[in-house]
Each structure stands twice: as structure tokens, then as C-alpha cells.
């Protein structure tokens, strides 16, 4: 659903990943009273159906009682709208009791693994893999859908084949994102993935995906192909998210996205004050985000991918420069590389000299190896 509210029960996390952007110790935990205020705010703020994603930090630190109360409060309090839920968690704190609640409300789970155990634990900390897989087994036993996000770093990108094969052999869906400079530590660039290396990785995964069609799902590639095919962004990195996505922090503060939570300069309002859209639009954070949008229109106006890229993620562009708008998302290089590759391949398949009419041939006469159009037409 287009209206998305991220709920951040806490910025605390029991893990200590080397490159993490947020793992604040002693972070407060959202109260049920704040959930009630979210409901009252949304009753007047916007009438659309809404997806709630619990994010963090580690959202399961809120505990079983929090979710036992929060999910019915949100689902029933905003009835008769359609309400959907999701959660992003490392699964360490998942218990059968919480899993039963999630199953009742059909909550899909996003989690994190960086590949095989040795590589994962090198980046995310010793014992991470075992704790996450223990939670994964509990989730599976309760019929919950779990998909993992892999963070590719300057180190792990060297083992891209091992990581791909890990997901292939485990029968897991692969979703990934590039490591950004950390907001903690003395060497923030140590683990960050170079944009050009990221572009090369995406093209590599495109090839590997096509070689293994039907055996694995690579969500990023599916989404990137859909962007080109439909001419619009299909995930938050590539859309104008302002006004359709908000995050609510532990104290009820409203932010443009979960990645800004905990940064006072990006607070737009608070659910306890029941702000309208017009109220939020008066905040400095809202104005900055729209200023970035205008910058993209100017900076990227001649780019053939602007309609479905939109300059990438505003957080990536704004936060590293302390709120100054100097450039678009630094991964622009990677986005151009993969979008150019997809566009070139579809043009070759449809109009290239080696069988420009392939898409109109009878099934028995078509090339046996899947092409880019098979991904563009794939249902996701």
C-alpha cells in the first residue's frame, strides 16, 4: 500500500555490527500509550489504508506484551481501513509467543544475514549467525515468511560468488544493500562499498540471476527491472517518498524515514500533537526534503533514468554533508550502471540484429536461456 508508517520501538540493539548506523545503548522503548496516539493521529491525518513496519534498532526489544497490545490497537483502531504489518529484525529475541502473534496478523519478517557464517560473523559479530538462524527456525515453525537482507561491504564484495551460492543452496531469497559510511567509530569509510563496485556487483547479480532463473529470487534485480519496464520507481530508494512515508520514533517524534530517527534536526512533529500534513510541511526537515527533490529535478533533469530513480535516497545524499544539499545519492554511479545495463539488454532483445522479433516468436523457436524481458514480465 502506498501509505507507509514505520514504527521505531527503540534504537537499541543487542548486536554490535561493525558498520551499523545505529545501535544506541540504553535507548528508550516506545510505550503502548504512544501506539494509541499513533492511532488517534492517523484517524484525522490521512484516511488511506496503511502498512506499518516495525523497525529499529531492534524492534523485538519492545517485548511480547508490546506486540500483543500494539497490533490489535492499530488494526482495530483504524478499521475499516486495510492494515498490513511487517517487521525488520535480527530475530534474536523472537519467541514462540511473539511468533504466534505475528502469525495471527500475517506479519512478514525481514532479517539480516551477510552470507555464510564465517563471513557474516566477521562483519556482524561472533555468534550473530547462530542467534539469527535460531530465530529463523522459530519463525518457520509458525508459518512466517522470512527474507534476509545482505549488506555488501568493501570486504564482503570480494566474496560475492560465495554469498550468491549460499543463498542459492539454502533456497533463500536474496535482497541486498550497499554498506554506507558508519555514523559511529573513528574510521567511517572502512566498510563502505565503493559506488562503482556496487554497480559491478548489481550487474554480476543480474547475470547470475538469469543463469539460475527458477532456482532463486534476487529482489533487487526484480525491482530494478520493473523500474525500467514501468517507468517509475518500485521501492523507496527510487521514488518521491515525501508525504507517503513517515517514521515514528520511541517518543512519538515524526520523521521522514526510519533512518532519520534520533536526529533532532529531522523531527517534523509529534503524534501527541496530532499534526496535519500542513503542520508537518512547516517543519525545517520537510522543507529540506523538498529542497532535495527540487535539486534532483535540476541536477538530473537530462538523465534518461530520472523518472524511476529520482536521485536515489535523500538520506544518503543529505546526512553525510550535515544537511547541505551538494549532490544526489552517492550511489548514483551504481544506479546508472545497472539501469544502463538493463536498458541496453532489453533494447538488444527487442530490436537487436540477432533476432529482433524474438519476443513474437513461437515458444519452441525462442532462445532457451532467459533474457531480461523474462525479469521485466515476472510477477513480484
Amino acid at each position: 500500500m502506498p501509505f507507509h508508517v514505520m514504527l521505531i520501538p527503540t534504537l537499541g540493539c543487542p548486536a554490535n555490527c561493525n558498520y551499523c548506523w545505529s545501535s544506541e545503548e540504553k535507548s528508550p522503548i516506545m510505550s503502548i500509550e504512544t501506539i494509541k496516539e499513533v492511532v488517534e493521529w492517523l484517524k484525522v491525518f490521512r484516511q488511506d489504508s496503511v502498512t506499518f513496519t516495525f523497525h529499529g534498532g531492534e524492534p523485538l526489544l519492545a517485548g511480547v506484551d508490546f506486540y500483543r497490545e500494539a497490533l490489535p490497537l492499530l488494526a482495530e483502531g483504524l478499521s475499516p481501513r486495510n492494515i498490513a504489518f511487517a517487521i525488520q529484525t535480527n530475530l534474536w529475541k523472537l519467541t514462540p509467543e511473539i511468533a504466534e502473534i505475528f502469525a495471527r496478523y500475517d506479519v512478514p519478517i525481514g532479517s539480516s544475514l551477510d552470507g555464510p557464517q564465517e563471513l557474516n560473523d566477521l562483519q556482524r559479530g561472533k555468534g550473530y549467525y547462530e542467534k539469527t538462524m535460531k530465530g529463523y527456525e522459530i519463525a518457520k515453525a509458525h508459518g512466517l515468511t522470512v527474507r534476509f537482507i545482505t549488506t555488501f561491504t568493501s570486504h564482503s564484495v570480494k566474496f560475492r560468488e560465495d554469498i550468491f551460492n549460499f543463498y542459492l543452496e539454502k533456497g533463500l531469497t536474496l535482497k541486498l544493500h550497499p554498506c554506507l559510511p558508519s555514523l559511529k567509530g573513528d574510521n567511517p569509510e572502512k566498510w563502505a562499498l565503493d559506488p562503482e563496485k556496487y554497480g559491478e556487483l548489481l550487474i554480476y547479480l543480474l547475470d547470475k540471476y538469469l543463469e539460475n532463473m527458477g532456482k532463486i529470487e534476487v529482489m533487487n534485480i526484480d525491482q530494478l527491472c520493473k523500474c525500467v519496464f514501468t517507468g517509475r520507481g518500485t521501492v523507496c530508494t527510487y521514488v518521491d517518498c515525501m508525504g507517503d512515508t513517515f517514521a515514528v520514533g520511541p517518543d512519538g517524534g515524526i520523521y521522514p524515514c526510519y533512518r532519520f530517527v534520533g536526529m533532532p534536526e529531522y523531527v517534523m512533529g509529534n503524534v501527541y500533537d496530532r499534526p496535519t500534513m500542513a503542520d508537518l510541511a512547516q517543519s525545517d526537515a520537510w522543507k529540506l526534503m523538498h529542497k532535495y527533490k527540487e535539486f534532483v529535478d535540476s541536477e538530473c533533469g537530462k538523465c534518461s533514468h530520472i523518472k524511476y530513480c529520482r536521485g536515489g535516497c535523500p538520506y544518503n545524499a543529505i546526512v553525510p554533508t550535515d544537511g547541505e544539499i551538494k549532490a544526489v545519492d552517492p550511489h548514483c554511479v551504481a544506479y546508472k550502471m545497472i539501469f544502463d545495463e538493463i536498458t541496453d539488454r532489453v533494447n538488444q532483445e527487442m530490436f537487436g540484429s540477432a533476432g529482433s522479433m524474438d519476443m513474437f516468436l513461437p515458444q519452441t523457436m525462442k532462445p532457451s536461456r532467459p533474457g531480461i524481458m523474462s525479469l521485466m514480465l515476472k510477477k513480484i
Side-chain angles (χ1 to χ4, degrees), residues 3-203:
F3 186 34
H4 188 194
V5 176
M6 299 177 172
L7 299 174
I8 317 302
T10 180
L11 289 175
C13 182
N16 189 29
C17 302
N18 285 311
Y19 49 75
C20 185
W21 60 276
S22 173
S23 56
E24 296 183 13
E25 296 183 7
K26 300 179 181 177
S27 177
I29 292 179
M30 182 181 285
S31 68
I32 285 297
E33 187 60 37
T34 299
I35 293 293
K36 293 177 181 177
E37 290 297 327
V38 168
V39 171
E40 294 306 314
W41 169 54
L42 292 179
K43 282 181 179 178
V44 296
F45 180 75
R46 185 164 167 171
Q47 300 305 309
D48 303 54
S49 298
V50 57
T51 298
F52 290 103
T53 298
F54 293 93
H55 214 297
E58 173 45 60
L60 290 185
L61 286 175
V64 62
D65 290 339
F66 174 84
Y67 289 100
R68 186 179 288 119
E69 290 189 65
L71 296 184
L73 277 171
L74 293 163
E76 297 166 17
L78 294 171
S79 178
R81 309 184 208 188
N82 291 324
I83 304 297
F85 297 106
I87 189 168
Q88 181 67 33
T89 166
N90 62 24
L91 291 171
W92 293 13
K93 300 292 184 179
L94 185 68
T95 64
E97 292 79 11
I98 296 176
E100 286 175 12
I101 296 167
F102 287 173
R104 202 176 306 145
Y105 286 90
D106 195 23
V107 182
I109 297 174
S111 192
S112 300
L113 278 181
D114 288 354
Q117 184 170 358
E118 184 177 354
L119 177 58
N120 177 85
D121 285 6
L122 173 68
Q123 298 192 159
R124 290 186 170 268
K126 188 175 181 181
Y128 187 108
Y129 183 93
E130 287 187 1
K131 292 175 184 176
T132 294
M133 294 309 287
K134 181 180 178 181
Y136 175 57
E137 293 302 323
I138 293 173
K140 281 204 307 179
H142 287 80
L144 296 170
T145 300
V146 181
R147 288 176 170 170
F148 293 99
I149 296 177
T150 289
T151 299
F152 276 87
T153 68
S154 57
H155 174 73
S156 66
V157 74
K158 303 168 190 173
F159 303 95
R160 61 189 190 182
E161 184 173 2
D162 294 330
I163 294 171
F164 182 86
N165 288 337
F166 168 81
Y167 277 89
L168 182 65
E169 291 162 10
K170 291 280 188 183
L172 299 172
T173 296
L174 175 58
K175 185 179 180 182
L176 64 133
H177 64 70
C179 181
L180 297 164
S182 176
L183 296 181
K184 65 178 186 179
D186 299 326
N187 188 5
E189 299 286 343
K190 178 181 178 181
W191 298 92
L193 183 61
D194 175 78
E196 188 165 343
K197 292 290 185 184
Y198 180 36
E200 292 171 358
L201 170 66
L202 290 172
I203 293 171

Side-chain angles (χ1 to χ4, degrees), residues 57-352:
E58 173 45 60
L60 290 185
L61 286 175
V64 62
D65 290 339
F66 174 84
Y67 289 100
R68 186 179 288 119
E69 290 189 65
L71 296 184
L73 277 171
L74 293 163
E76 297 166 17
L78 294 171
S79 178
R81 309 184 208 188
N82 291 324
I83 304 297
F85 297 106
I87 189 168
Q88 181 67 33
T89 166
N90 62 24
L91 291 171
W92 293 13
K93 300 292 184 179
L94 185 68
T95 64
E97 292 79 11
I98 296 176
E100 286 175 12
I101 296 167
F102 287 173
R104 202 176 306 145
Y105 286 90
D106 195 23
V107 182
I109 297 174
S111 192
S112 300
L113 278 181
D114 288 354
Q117 184 170 358
E118 184 177 354
L119 177 58
N120 177 85
D121 285 6
L122 173 68
Q123 298 192 159
R124 290 186 170 268
K126 188 175 181 181
Y128 187 108
Y129 183 93
E130 287 187 1
K131 292 175 184 176
T132 294
M133 294 309 287
K134 181 180 178 181
Y136 175 57
E137 293 302 323
I138 293 173
K140 281 204 307 179
H142 287 80
L144 296 170
T145 300
V146 181
R147 288 176 170 170
F148 293 99
I149 296 177
T150 289
T151 299
F152 276 87
T153 68
S154 57
H155 174 73
S156 66
V157 74
K158 303 168 190 173
F159 303 95
R160 61 189 190 182
E161 184 173 2
D162 294 330
I163 294 171
F164 182 86
N165 288 337
F166 168 81
Y167 277 89
L168 182 65
E169 291 162 10
K170 291 280 188 183
L172 299 172
T173 296
L174 175 58
K175 185 179 180 182
L176 64 133
H177 64 70
C179 181
L180 297 164
S182 176
L183 296 181
K184 65 178 186 179
D186 299 326
N187 188 5
E189 299 286 343
K190 178 181 178 181
W191 298 92
L193 183 61
D194 175 78
E196 188 165 343
K197 292 290 185 184
Y198 180 36
E200 292 171 358
L201 170 66
L202 290 172
I203 293 171
Y204 167 82
L205 290 174
L206 173 61
D207 287 331
K208 295 294 288 185
Y209 195 10
L210 289 172
E211 289 172 13
N212 293 276
M213 281 288 288
K215 301 176 185 176
I216 190 172
E217 180 182 2
V218 184
M219 289 180 68
N220 300 65
I221 302 302
D222 284 335
Q223 292 158 350
L224 290 163
C225 288
K226 285 296 183 187
C227 283
V228 176
F229 183 64
T230 63
R232 60 184 179 85
T234 57
V235 290
C236 68
T237 303
Y238 311 115
V239 296
D240 289 330
C241 53
M242 279 299 295
D244 289 323
T245 298
F246 297 96
V248 179
D251 65 350
I254 303 168
Y255 299 80
C257 173
Y258 80 95
R259 298 177 76 183
F260 294 98
V261 174
M263 300 180 182
E265 62 271 34
Y266 294 101
V267 175
M268 299 188 295
N270 194 292
V271 295
Y272 284 84
D273 299 324
R274 317 264 175 90
T276 64
M277 193 79 80
D279 294 330
L280 298 183
Q282 295 303 309
S283 66
D284 290 340
W286 179 288
K287 292 173 183 176
L288 179 62
M289 297 292 284
H290 277 270
K291 187 177 179 183
Y292 176 73
K293 178 179 177 179
E294 293 168 1
F295 178 83
V296 169
D297 288 336
S298 173
E299 189 76 5
C300 307
K302 295 181 180 180
C303 178
S304 59
H305 308 303
I306 185 173
K307 287 184 179 179
Y308 47 80
C309 177
R310 295 302 310 159
C313 177
Y315 174 94
N316 293 352
I318 295 171
V319 171
T321 58
D322 295 322
E324 284 191 60
I325 300 175
K326 297 180 178 179
V328 297
D329 185 334
H331 287 116
C332 171
V333 173
Y335 305 151
K336 282 184 177 179
M337 287 173 68
I338 187 63
F339 283 137
D340 282 346
E341 186 73 18
I342 292 169
T343 302
D344 289 347
R345 290 192 189 196
V346 74
N347 285 338
Q348 181 65 30
E349 283 182 26
M350 294 183 68
F351 309 114

